[in-house]
Amino acid sequence: MISGAHLVRRFFQSLVDRGPDPTEEAWLLGLLTQSEADLYQQMSAADRRHALRSAECPALVNDAQRVAAALHDVGKARSGLGTLGRVGATLGGIAAPGRLRGRWADYRDHPRLGATMLREADSADQTVVWAAEHHLPLSECSLPRDVAAALAAAD
Ligand SMILES: [Fe+2]
Ligand SMILES: [Fe+2]
């Protein structure tokens, strides 16, 4: 589940992120199918850095989990929002849920959009489900508890 601390940390990371290290990125791309790699490449540099940092989390025990961790936020690529637009979408969604429109609504809806993109890319069920459910409380996630806990630790 997303927390205020998580949002603040991600905001400040996004200000200083220059994008992923090419060597680490090559490692991650080696775990993805071609269609997953195409989706990954649609993400902003800051989001790819977050994807890589997530995939490298030591709590993950296999490559299937690393792929799910890497692609959980891929739906954000659809909104095309920059850092300030994301802050607006996040705060607007808290203040007036259900009233966001356009790219702001797409940003808030990135779990569902990402899951659809990954399903269309023939990703594994675990990858699709984690994208769809990564903002839910762990108790509501339909993945096995230990898997959901590892993926949440990686986010
Ligand atoms: Fe997310
Ligand atoms: Fe995330």
Side-chain angles (χ1 to χ4, degrees), residues 75 106 108-117 119 131-132:
D106 284 349
R108 285 285 292 180
D109 202 23
H110 74 266
R112 190 184 63 79
L113 291 173
T116 300
M117 292 158 74
R119 198 175 299 111

Side-chain angles (χ1 to χ4, degrees), residues 1-154:
M1 181 166 109
I2 200 154
S3 68
H6 175 95
L7 288 173
V8 169
R9 191 174 69 244
R10 288 280 294 125
F11 174 72
F12 284 107
Q13 272 174 0
S14 71
L15 294 180
V16 297
D17 260 334
R18 289 204 196 91
D21 174 85
T23 306
E24 294 174 43
E25 191 162 59
W27 163 77
L28 177 59
L29 287 169
L31 304 182
L32 305 179
T33 65
Q34 184 58 55
S35 43
E36 288 173 336
D38 291 344
L39 292 180
Y40 171 83
Q41 299 287 10
Q42 292 176 24
M43 289 197 281
S44 69
D47 285 345
R48 295 200 317 276
R49 184 77 196 99
H50 175 56
L52 198 49
R53 206 179 275 130
S54 299
E56 291 171 339
C57 177
L60 305 172
V61 299
N62 57 45
D63 286 347
Q65 290 184 9
R66 291 181 190 101
V67 169
L71 298 177
H72 71 279
D73 274 332
V74 78
K76 289 182 179 178
R78 281 287 150 88
S79 74
L81 282 183
T83 299
L84 288 179
R86 291 169 179 217
V87 172
T90 300
L91 296 179
I94 293 168
R99 296 186 59 188
L100 295 179
R101 297 289 179 266
R103 293 196 297 167
W104 285 25
D106 284 349
Y107 181 76
R108 285 285 292 180
D109 202 23
H110 74 266
R112 190 184 63 79
L113 291 173
T116 300
M117 292 158 74
L118 291 163
R119 198 175 299 111
E120 289 170 358
D122 275 330
S123 288
D125 287 346
Q126 177 175 263
T127 305
V128 175
V129 169
W130 181 240
E133 300 183 359
H134 72 273
H135 285 287
L136 296 180
L138 271 188
S139 59
E140 293 175 26
C141 181
S142 53
L143 294 172
R145 178 60 75 97
D146 60 324
V147 175
L151 289 167

